[in-house]
Amino acid sequence: MSMLWKTTTRLLPAVLLTSAGLIGLQAQAQGQIPPMHEKGAVQYSCGGIGKDESTAMRAAMKDYPLSLLFAAKDGEYLADVSVDIQSSQASTQFVAGGPVCLIKLPADSYKVTATTKNGQSHSQSVTTGKSAHSLDFRF
């Protein structure tokens, strides 16, 4: 067996492991938006748990007609918030699995109500259409 072959076979596993590790770190550093869910004409993705996912979702807010952010008054992010989105045409309910929700929905006027696990509820109105809107719910 040649010296080159011996060296290559010894180094190949280390190179492959290093490459796989770098690819994993790159994917982790970029963060990903959780999968979209669909209810009627509304598509939504909620998440933002962990710095990378939160950064990715907050950066994507501008690309969605409506985004929601849930936090306590002290700034701590909240999850498991019940969301009710009502228009004159329809109503959609879901539980936000994280503090940030990205929402695709038809242009219309909506009343959005967010309710925490302990029953605190806030409502805001928004008209979607030409630009992205973000609603900040502080409890």
Side-chain angles (χ1 to χ4, degrees):
M1 213 181 271
S2 76
M3 183 65 138
L4 177 62
W5 179 252
K6 287 180 182 177
T7 303
T8 302
T9 55
R10 277 187 281 152
L11 290 176
L12 186 59
V15 169
L16 290 175
L17 284 173
T18 302
S19 297
L22 290 174
I23 291 169
L25 285 175
Q26 181 181 10
Q28 185 179 16
Q30 291 175 349
Q32 293 188 0
I33 296 171
M36 296 295 284
H37 301 280
E38 191 169 341
K39 285 197 171 185
V42 176
Q43 294 178 334
Y44 65 93
S45 172
C46 297
I49 297 173
K51 184 177 180 180
D52 293 335
E53 188 177 277
S54 178
T55 300
M57 292 192 75
R58 291 180 67 102
M61 289 172 127
K62 67 186 180 337
D63 301 324
Y64 290 81
L66 181 61
S67 58
L68 309 176
L69 178 64
F70 310 110
K73 287 185 180 177
D74 65 4
E76 182 179 340
Y77 287 138
L78 299 176
D80 299 322
V81 175
S82 296
V83 177
D84 182 19
I85 302 174
Q86 293 185 2
S87 72
S88 60
Q89 308 297 316
S91 177
T92 301
Q93 295 84 29
F94 58 88
V95 175
V100 180
C101 291
L102 305 174
I103 304 171
K104 292 180 183 179
L105 69 178
D108 203 343
S109 293
Y110 296 92
K111 179 182 176 185
V112 181
T113 303
T115 307
T116 64
K117 291 186 284 188
N118 67 2
Q120 286 184 292
S121 186
H122 293 299
S123 295
Q124 296 185 44
S125 296
V126 64
T127 300
T128 61
K130 296 181 187 233
S131 62
H133 295 274
S134 180
L135 300 180
D136 191 354
F137 291 91
R138 300 284 170 162
F139 297 92

